[in-house]
Amino acid sequence: MDKETKKGVVIILLILAVALTLWGLDIWRRHSNPFVYEKHLDDVVITVDDRQVSLRELGYYVYHVESQIDKQARVYNPEDPLDYWNTYFNSGVEGGYISEMARDTVLETCVCDLIYEQMARQQGYELTADEEKEATEQAEIVYAKLSQKQRDKTGLTPELITDVLQRKALVVKFATEYFETVDFTGYSGYREELVSYAGDYYQKEILPQHKVEYHENLVKELSIGRVTTDYIPKY
């Protein structure tokens, strides 16, 4: 082995050593100072343009996504549903662990709703009194389903849930009319898919017009699948 090759090997080994050290320190930090979700409810997790969103305000999105995936998790492994959340899913170009993909869905759905709500209000869209009442009644039903533990963990209140459901109702009202006027030439797929948070049209035409910041120090701590679910891991 010549000197240059030896030098290259040493550099690679040093890089690996540093990486392993950093990884070990991160594991140590997580175990010695575990993240307590409910202690960060008023911390800002997303900023969309000038609108800041706290973890408390994100609570409904977390609850909704966890509720949907929990059904699949309990079928996948009834005795240990967390096993499903830790499963790696390969969807072709992109893949990831179910828990990470769920976290991205929570965050990106919230951002999408806020952007469309902003667009709706700028164009003068409002809910009628009946539409507001319907969203409020739905929020009360959702809140009644929450256990006390889920309420404490997420910080959700009937008012917070009402805000989200009224926002969603306004977005649907706006989108139903607005996207009838949009030219989707060059895009393939159903309109509903194109304008969703993961849709090509939304990603290329709408999202880039807005400034979105994910506060990574908090985002990286979000362990979706362990917030509002009630099962106990076996490990």
Side-chain angles (χ1 to χ4, degrees):
M1 185 180 294
D2 58 40
K3 293 178 68 174
E4 287 300 318
T5 302
K6 287 182 179 180
K7 184 178 178 180
V9 171
V10 170
I11 291 173
I12 291 172
L13 289 174
L14 285 173
I15 293 173
L16 288 173
V18 171
L20 286 171
T21 300
L22 292 174
W23 176 75
L25 287 172
D26 185 59
I27 295 295
W28 175 82
R29 179 189 63 81
R30 289 174 181 271
H31 282 285
S32 62
N33 187 26
F35 180 76
V36 181
Y37 187 96
E38 54 268 39
K39 289 185 178 181
H40 296 269
L41 292 176
D42 295 314
D43 292 355
V44 175
V45 63
I46 310 170
T47 301
V48 181
D49 295 324
D50 296 325
R51 171 76 158 83
Q52 294 185 325
V53 181
S54 69
L55 197 56
R56 187 189 304 273
E57 294 174 291
L58 192 69
Y60 174 80
Y61 293 91
V62 172
Y63 167 71
H64 179 71
V65 170
E66 285 196 335
S67 297
Q68 295 302 309
I69 299 180
D70 177 55
K71 298 173 185 176
Q72 303 166 34
R74 291 182 184 277
V75 172
Y76 182 81
N77 189 340
E79 295 186 1
D80 186 12
L82 271 177
D83 184 35
Y84 181 74
W85 291 92
N86 294 323
T87 299
Y88 189 87
F89 180 74
N90 191 344
S91 58
V93 178
E94 296 182 1
Y97 291 97
I98 298 295
S99 59
E100 295 175 348
M101 296 170 73
R103 180 191 62 199
D104 292 345
T105 297
V106 167
L107 297 170
E108 292 171 18
T109 301
C110 179
V111 168
C112 184
D113 282 355
L114 289 169
I115 287 175
Y116 282 148
E117 178 189 32
Q118 183 185 130
M119 292 173 64
R121 295 196 184 284
Q122 288 174 345
Q123 297 192 34
Y125 282 82
E126 294 181 355
L127 294 179
T128 64
D130 285 342
E131 289 168 337
E132 289 182 347
K133 181 181 178 183
E134 182 179 356
T136 301
E137 291 173 347
Q138 290 177 347
E140 291 172 351
I141 293 172
V142 171
Y143 186 74
K145 291 181 179 179
L146 297 177
S147 67
Q148 189 59 51
K149 181 179 179 181
Q150 290 173 323
R151 295 173 185 176
D152 293 340
K153 193 75 177 283
T154 60
L156 281 173
T157 63
E159 292 76 20
L160 282 171
I161 300 173
T162 296
D163 287 345
V164 175
L165 295 188
Q166 287 188 351
R167 177 186 306 133
K168 286 183 172 295
L170 180 63
V171 167
V172 170
K173 185 175 185 176
F174 161 73
T176 300
E177 297 180 11
Y178 176 74
F179 288 114
E180 286 288 347
T181 67
V182 172
D183 182 6
F184 289 102
T185 300
Y187 292 92
S188 59
Y190 293 107
R191 182 183 65 185
E192 292 75 11
E193 295 175 351
L194 291 173
V195 301
S196 70
Y197 77 90
D200 281 351
Y201 184 84
Y202 168 78
Q203 290 287 332
K204 295 177 182 178
E205 306 291 345
I206 295 177
L207 184 59
Q209 299 180 38
H210 300 268
K211 182 180 178 180
V212 178
E213 179 183 0
Y214 296 102
H215 298 259
E216 293 298 334
N217 62 319
L218 187 55
V219 168
K220 68 181 182 181
E221 299 289 356
L222 299 184
S223 184
I224 305 302
R226 298 170 184 262
V227 181
T228 65
T229 51
D230 59 2
Y231 32 75
I232 300 175
K234 289 189 172 184
Y235 45 86

